Amino acid sequence: MDRSRADDLLTQVRALRWYHTIDLGGGVVTAGVDDTPYRLSRIGLPADLSGKSVLDIGAWDGFYSFEAERRRASRVVATDFYAWHGAGWGTGKGKAGFELARAALGSRVEDVDVDVMDLSPERVGTFDVVLFLGVLYHVPDPLAALTRVSSVAADMLIIETVVDMIGIRRPAAAFYPGRELNDDPTNWWGPNHAAVHGLLHAVGFTHVRSLTPERSAPYRAARAVWHAMKGKNRLVPAYRQDRAVFHAFKRQ
Ligand SMILES: C[S@@+](CC[C@H](N)C(=O)[O-])C[C@H]1O[C@@H](n2cnc3c(N)ncnc32)[C@H](O)[C@@H]1O
């Protein structure tokens, strides 16, 4: 990318609020509030997606969609709803971040503006790999949402989510009727690992594995004290909460 094009891109990038940290080339990196390269390193995205179709549900600025394309997926579809409609989410300018990044990267990622509750094979098709990253805890009815997600997943689902009620052996979920989680009223449920496994089996995935197993009680206790001291969270919820990644498959 030549200097004047990079300068022009930088001006456009700086005019938006970003969630994802995306390297657009020419030294231009979006100033996302999310440490996206770190989160990418945790989700176990296959290094080679050649010949695979990929659906990215809740794509926001599109980092994972562009990454799937970079890893040679044959087709990538990004979907979202809230973040692409402003109102406190995202750039405040609809899909402007996603569209600017797509143009800057010369990407052919397709986009569909659809609520997860309206996903169906008729609406978007079915996909070899489905990404459901950072969305589960935002939906009021997780079982219904995952039923929709399963309907468009032909084989592999990668799911990343807040988990809560860690240490409780039975499938359980914390309910956030208000702003209990991160002071965000759009957060509803924090399932524990067993509950995520149960939900995924219930909607038709035959094999489920945790990429990020539960951390030990002493680790969680020390981290909870640290988070409470920094004012990031209250002590007891912090002891029970984490983020976790699961891979689920439909195989005989
Ligand atoms: C925490 S962000 C995660 C963004 C991205 N998937 C990631 O992991 O970096 C949550 C995303 O889920 C989307 N979202 C929340 N509820 C949704 C719904 N019912 N249907 C579609 N997208 C939704 C938001 O618009 C937002 O883009």
Side-chain angles (χ1 to χ4, degrees), residues 19-20 34 39 56-60 64 80-84 89 114-117 133-135 137-139 160:
Y19 181 67
H20 285 152
D34 179 57
R39 286 195 34 238
D56 181 9
I57 301 168
W60 203 330
Y64 296 98
D80 209 313
F81 184 69
Y82 290 97
W84 287 354
W89 284 86
V114 60
D115 191 301
V116 66
M117 301 310 296
L133 310 173
V135 186
Y137 52 93
H138 285 299
V139 293
E160 192 269 350

Side-chain angles (χ1 to χ4, degrees), residues 20-23 30 34 36-41 43 45 56 59-69 71 98 101 105 131 133:
H20 285 152
T21 303
I22 312 176
D23 186 342
T30 65
D34 179 57
T36 325
Y38 166 71
R39 286 195 34 238
L40 172 67
S41 72
I43 65 165
L45 187 67
D56 181 9
W60 203 330
D61 295 328
F63 173 90
Y64 296 98
S65 302
F66 304 131
E67 184 61 26
E69 182 178 54
R71 296 184 186 204
F98 172 83
L105 294 169
L131 309 180
L133 310 173

Side-chain angles (χ1 to χ4, degrees), residues 90-145:
T91 60
K93 296 183 182 168
K95 296 207 295 234
F98 172 83
E99 283 166 349
L100 179 58
R102 179 168 61 181
L105 294 169
S107 162
R108 297 189 308 147
V109 167
E110 301 164 43
D111 58 289
V112 182
D113 200 329
V114 60
D115 191 301
V116 66
M117 301 310 296
D118 296 325
L119 286 171
S120 68
E122 295 74 27
R123 183 83 187 262
V124 295
T126 58
F127 294 81
D128 301 313
V129 179
V130 173
L131 309 180
F132 195 51
L133 310 173
V135 186
L136 182 65
Y137 52 93
H138 285 299
V139 293
D141 186 339
L143 189 56

